[in-house]
Amino acid sequence: MRNVLRRAGRAAAHTLALAALLAGVAGCRGPALDFSGKHRSPEESIRVLPDHGARDVPPEGPLEVRLPSGRLERVRVTRIESGAPGRITGRISEDGLRWTPRDGTRLSLAAKYRVDVVALDGHGRRSARQTTFTTEVPAHRFIGYFKPENRAVTGAGMIVSFEFNRKITDRAVVERAVTVTSDPPVEIAGHWFGDDRLDFRPQRYWEPGTKVTVRIRLRDVEAAPGAYGIQHKTVSFTVGRSQVSTVDAAAKTMEVRRDGSLLATVPITAGEPKSTTYNGRMVISDMQDMTRMNGATVGFTDENGKGEYDIKDVPHAIRLTESGTFLHGNYWAPVDIFGRVNVSHGCIGLRDEKGGSGDSPAGWFFDRSLIGDVVEVVNSTDQVVEADNGLSGWNLSWARWKAGSALR
């Protein structure tokens, strides 16, 4: 079995092949399940409303999770807009087939939500699904959804990233309205990727212990004709420590260094020759203890249009790019391939056990990782990952980074 997913516009050989971490960003671009498909058994159909990626969802919903059979084990609905975390509480029906929010629940306007579901089929086997959706933004208003979350503790490679729900035509006025400072102080610059994304980073990785403060003063700022901001808030995060892991695709190893000291050298499997792993520095942006990966969502199908693989319980899944590169546990490959053979379609696989084991290499690494940690791939025959693919801006030189500011 293969491990990984790749970039949307690349050829299938470079599309992530082990999976589609089904999520808003899930395991490679979008939900891993197609509920209108003809090839799904009832136990596999975790149905979430609103649909994955839905926009402009009204405050009254709909919001629910359904199963045709089996039993829901866990449903979590969390507001993930930084600075305003919160959870929607609800209940699972007595038959275990439906989750609904408590009576009177209303979603917040201009907010992004994530739905995490774990379900059991009739044989007690787990499967997972993760989706995201955003609620209505008032007419003639815009909002920036940003990372990391307020009061988060991150790795030293964390990049502050804003994604706007409308195209920004006056980038300078928006960039002026967002200030990022640090204690101890360092120079921090913004960089625009297109007309709806603005990232901030220093010249080098943050020093451990640094407190970073983000002041957002977008309220009534006109970013495009007739479109005014609604946010006025201050958020912060703290850099916990510096962990940089170097994956050598040729040697098939990963060296994990914490604050410069080597913690361990872990055997891995990377992308096979026809679907190699990106080179370059990537930043951990999401972590799931279990997720689902399906080849059909990324173009890996057989002659009948079914996915070449459908793994419902991929353990210890760590997202590295938006296009679907993951570092994750692998329990289905022979133990002796790790450190010896590259068999994935671009992901980085670590040995694991079914259900995920904290004593496995994958579990060990997962338990010692933070959002914002850096994973750098070297000696692959692939290109360097693009700077806007996930939080990969460290692959730009400082001069090129600052040249992308609207205030230069």
Side-chain angles (χ1 to χ4, degrees):
M1 181 57 67
R2 273 66 189 292
N3 318 19
V4 177
L5 306 172
R6 293 291 281 188
R7 167 170 217 80
R10 300 186 70 186
H14 290 292
T15 323
L16 246 209
L18 193 219
L21 194 82
L22 35 98
V25 103
C28 304
R29 293 199 314 279
L33 300 179
D34 176 4
F35 295 101
S36 63
K38 302 176 182 178
H39 305 293
R40 298 261 167 239
S41 65
E43 294 81 13
E44 296 174 29
S45 300
I46 302 174
R47 181 70 167 121
V48 179
L49 287 175
D51 292 335
H52 170 66
R55 294 176 178 270
D56 298 322
V57 175
E60 60 274 14
L63 176 59
E64 68 173 357
V65 180
R66 288 181 178 270
L67 287 179
S69 61
R71 174 168 290 274
L72 291 167
E73 182 179 72
R74 182 179 76 203
V75 178
R76 291 177 181 168
V77 181
T78 309
R79 179 174 175 171
I80 58 174
E81 180 206 348
S82 301
R87 180 169 292 175
I88 300 295
T89 59
R91 63 179 295 273
I92 295 173
S93 60
E94 290 186 7
D95 62 9
L97 298 177
R98 185 169 182 247
W99 177 94
T100 52
R102 72 176 188 274
D103 292 343
T105 295
R106 287 179 62 84
L107 301 169
S108 300
L109 288 170
K112 186 172 184 178
Y113 287 89
R114 183 175 69 206
V115 183
D116 292 287
V117 184
V118 176
L120 299 173
D121 67 12
H123 302 285
R125 297 172 301 200
R126 283 187 174 86
S127 60
R129 188 168 191 217
Q130 182 193 91
T131 67
T132 61
F133 65 89
T134 53
T135 55
E136 291 178 337
V137 177
H140 311 302
R141 293 289 185 172
F142 77 93
I143 190 171
Y145 302 105
F146 53 95
K147 304 171 184 174
E149 293 185 356
N150 188 30
R151 296 187 292 276
V153 176
T154 76
M158 191 67 221
I159 291 176
V160 178
S161 183
F162 283 80
E163 293 188 12
F164 299 100
N165 72 312
R166 305 188 191 281
K167 292 183 178 180
I168 306 300
T169 58
D170 191 341
R171 298 181 188 179
V173 71
V174 170
E175 191 172 339
R176 260 187 226 104
V178 179
T179 59
V180 182
T181 58
S182 68
D183 181 16
V186 294
E187 182 182 4
I188 301 165
H191 184 101
W192 285 88
F193 295 107
D195 52 17
D196 62 356
R197 177 173 166 183
L198 172 62
D199 287 8
F200 292 87
R201 51 157 269 214
Q203 182 175 2
R204 300 177 183 84
Y205 299 146
W206 307 100
E207 289 293 326
T210 297
K211 182 176 181 180
V212 182
T213 300
V214 184
R215 294 178 176 85
I216 305 164
R217 301 295 183 263
L218 291 171
R219 183 179 297 162
D220 298 326
V221 170
E222 188 175 19
Y228 296 87
I230 61 176
Q231 291 164 295
H232 185 97
K233 61 179 65 177
T234 299
V235 298
S236 63
F237 65 94
T238 302
V239 180
R241 77 288 190 278
S242 176
Q243 180 167 296
V244 178
S245 301
T246 303
V247 173
D248 188 324
K252 305 168 189 67
T253 60
M254 178 174 68
E255 293 184 345
V256 183
R257 285 184 167 80
R258 174 82 58 84
D259 297 324
S261 298
L262 181 66
L263 292 184
T265 300
V266 184
I268 60 96
T269 181
E272 63 182 358
K274 66 179 181 181
S275 52
T276 47
T277 304
Y278 285 128
N279 281 297
R281 292 184 282 180
M282 295 166 259
V283 174
I284 295 175
S285 60
D286 189 32
M287 299 173 63
Q288 295 292 321
D289 58 359
M290 186 176 71
T291 193
R292 184 173 193 156
M293 296 184 175
N294 187 317
T297 63
V298 289
F300 286 91
T301 58
D302 60 20
E303 64 277 4
N304 297 316
K306 295 183 66 174
E308 293 181 2
Y309 52 83
D310 183 4
I311 305 174
K312 296 183 290 184
D313 57 351
V314 178
H316 297 128
I318 296 173
R319 178 177 283 280
L320 300 179
T321 71
E322 195 69 17
S323 66
T325 305
F326 287 86
L327 190 157
H328 62 78
N330 181 327
Y331 64 81
W332 50 89
V335 172
D336 59 2
I337 67 110
F338 297 97
R340 295 183 60 247
V341 185
N342 287 330
V343 300
S344 86
H345 285 69
C347 285
I348 301 159
L350 277 65
R351 182 174 61 79
D352 210 334
E353 298 176 14
K354 189 173 177 62
S357 168
D359 295 328
S360 68
W364 178 89
F365 184 72
F366 189 92
D367 291 343
R368 287 160 180 77
S369 294
L370 291 174
I371 302 295
D373 283 347
V374 178
V375 176
E376 182 174 9
V377 177
V378 298
N379 295 327
S380 174
T381 58
D382 207 334
Q383 67 185 39
V384 173
V385 63
E386 294 182 13
D388 63 345
N389 191 355
L391 302 177
S392 300
W394 297 106
N395 294 291
L396 294 180
S397 68
W398 186 231
R400 286 186 63 198
W401 182 266
K402 291 200 296 183
S405 168
L407 305 180
R408 63 186 185 281

